Amino acid sequence: MKYPTIVLFALAAYVLPALAGNDYLWGEIGANDYKLAKDTVKKAFFVGLVQSKKYVFKQSENLNALTITAIRVTDKQKSHGATVVLASGGPGSKGVTLKFTSERGYGIKDIVEIWGR
């Protein structure tokens, strides 16, 4: 009776991470931080191709610009989510550039939240 339970848990440990999305967090969201931006990054799938998209966040006033403390990317796809690379900027700077890359034959659907103070 114990062995089917162990097999079930081992199978769940193998399958569940494959079904989870690719969520990312750079930095830490503090109690005094403000949400600077919340955007959805989308690009439709195309059969047999890898999709890529660049997301750029810039603040309009450089003198009053807040410093980024955290960037959270939440993958809205249950499986085959896009990977994200922090290309430039990020926590400690005033702007950021993110590069999204999908799996072959799949699209991109992520939510980007940028926090700062």
Side-chain angles (χ1 to χ4, degrees), residues 3 18 61 81 84 86 94 110 115:
Y3 293 114
E61 299 178 18
V84 184
L86 184 62
K94 307 290 185 189
D110 293 288
W115 299 80

Side-chain angles (χ1 to χ4, degrees), residues 20-24 26 37-44 51-55 71-85 98-103 106-113:
N22 295 330
D23 295 340
Y24 297 88
W26 290 279
K38 181 176 180 178
D39 295 312
T40 302
V41 177
K42 288 183 180 180
K43 191 159 187 184
Q51 300 290 28
S52 62
K53 188 159 187 169
K54 184 165 59 168
Y55 172 82
I71 301 166
R72 179 190 300 161
V73 178
T74 306
D75 191 0
K76 299 308 287 181
Q77 295 187 7
K78 299 293 182 195
S79 63
H80 304 287
T83 57
V84 184
V85 175
L98 300 172
K99 291 186 180 179
F100 292 81
T101 306
S102 74
E103 288 185 20
Y106 292 91
I108 299 169
K109 187 175 181 185
D110 293 288
I111 295 177
V112 177
E113 294 176 301

Side-chain angles (χ1 to χ4, degrees), residues 7-33:
V7 170
L8 181 65
F9 283 127
L11 184 63
Y14 179 74
V15 171
L16 289 179
L19 296 177
N22 295 330
D23 295 340
Y24 297 88
L25 176 66
W26 290 279
E28 292 184 22
I29 302 170
N32 297 326
D33 292 349

Side-chain angles (χ1 to χ4, degrees), residues 26-68:
W26 290 279
E28 292 184 22
I29 302 170
N32 297 326
D33 292 349
Y34 298 99
K35 189 181 288 188
L36 303 177
K38 181 176 180 178
D39 295 312
T40 302
V41 177
K42 288 183 180 180
K43 191 159 187 184
F45 76 94
F46 198 81
V47 178
L49 294 180
V50 174
Q51 300 290 28
S52 62
K53 188 159 187 169
K54 184 165 59 168
Y55 172 82
V56 178
F57 171 76
K58 293 181 184 178
Q59 298 182 57
S60 59
E61 299 178 18
N62 287 332
L63 297 176
N64 296 327
L66 299 174
T67 301
I68 295 172

